[in-house]
Amino acid sequence: MKKALLITALLAAVGAAQAQSATYALDPTHTTVFFEAKHFGTSTNRGRWDKKEGTITLDKTAKTGKVEVTLDMNSISSGVAPFDGHLKSKDFFAVAEFPTAKFVGDKFTFNGDKLVSVAGELTLRGKTNPVTLTANNFNCYENPMLKREVCGGDFETTIQRSQWGVNYGLPGIPDSVRIVIQVEAVKQ
């Protein structure tokens, strides 16, 4: 009898732990991925990807999670059509050959209850390298219109584009590219 009670208690504990994990779908109307890169050390070129999708699994109690985000590389937009065309070319993102980029992060770091970073891997142009996104802000709230929880925040990182084979213009055009992400995701 004691053994049966112990097994029942363990199963209940596992079920309760799993119940803490929730899945959120990226809200594309409140999620934007921007890039910033110096142009020969003078002005800063900026742009964004307009089409993205993904999910976030978050367990606030266990302080764990996983994020998967896919960017449609053909949706890059700098506001200047000829520049967009060059960015889509083999000189930069080679979108005909590599139409998507994907970030998968599963190492969530918290300071108390505050999410401070998400580490994972970015696959771009067929190459995968580690990337850590620093959280400048993160919060969850009950959305009054959707009647569901929404979590989101502002994240950033700086990558060295040459790690993914984006070598055009080096060293005149610097290797460092700042990525700034505004994200909101709706609980499913």
Side-chain angles (χ1 to χ4, degrees):
M1 183 70 167
K2 284 185 183 181
K3 191 174 188 180
L5 287 174
L6 179 61
I7 290 171
T8 303
L10 286 173
L11 289 174
V14 168
Q18 289 175 342
Q20 299 298 320
S21 181
T23 299
Y24 301 78
L26 239 57
D27 177 353
T29 63
H30 290 95
T31 300
T32 308
V33 179
F34 299 95
F35 70 88
E36 298 178 348
K38 293 288 183 191
H39 187 250
F40 292 97
T42 58
S43 62
T44 302
N45 285 324
R46 291 182 175 88
R48 67 178 189 267
W49 286 273
D50 290 329
K51 295 180 182 173
K52 58 273 170 194
E53 62 184 24
T55 59
I56 300 167
T57 303
L58 180 63
D59 185 331
K60 293 183 241 174
T61 303
K63 297 184 171 128
T64 60
K66 183 172 185 177
V67 58
E68 293 188 38
V69 177
T70 301
L71 300 177
D72 176 345
M73 297 304 286
N74 202 44
S75 74
I76 196 165
S77 175
S78 67
V80 180
F83 184 44
D84 294 347
H86 192 204
L87 291 170
K88 293 175 187 179
S89 77
K90 288 185 179 192
D91 287 343
F92 288 96
F93 296 113
V95 300
E97 188 176 352
F98 304 103
T100 61
K102 186 171 187 172
F103 175 75
V104 177
D106 60 1
K107 295 170 190 76
F108 283 46
T109 303
F110 285 79
N111 180 0
D113 288 334
K114 181 182 173 191
L115 178 64
V116 295
S117 69
V118 177
E121 294 184 325
L122 174 64
T123 301
L124 176 69
R125 287 184 56 123
K127 295 182 180 180
T128 302
N129 289 294
V131 169
T132 299
L133 304 175
T134 301
N136 295 324
N137 178 49
F138 184 81
N139 188 43
C140 297
Y141 71 100
E142 188 69 24
N143 184 297
M145 292 174 23
L146 300 175
K147 306 290 187 227
R148 288 192 275 170
E149 184 180 47
V150 172
C151 293
D154 299 306
F155 295 81
E156 68 177 84
T157 191
T158 299
I159 63 169
Q160 304 304 307
R161 62 189 175 96
S162 61
Q163 289 184 292
W164 287 271
V166 184
N167 299 314
Y168 179 82
L170 292 173
I173 302 172
D175 201 13
S176 294
V177 177
R178 183 172 177 237
I179 308 292
V180 179
I181 303 160
Q182 143 199 338
V183 62
E184 287 191 25
V186 181
K187 188 174 185 177
Q188 299 304 291

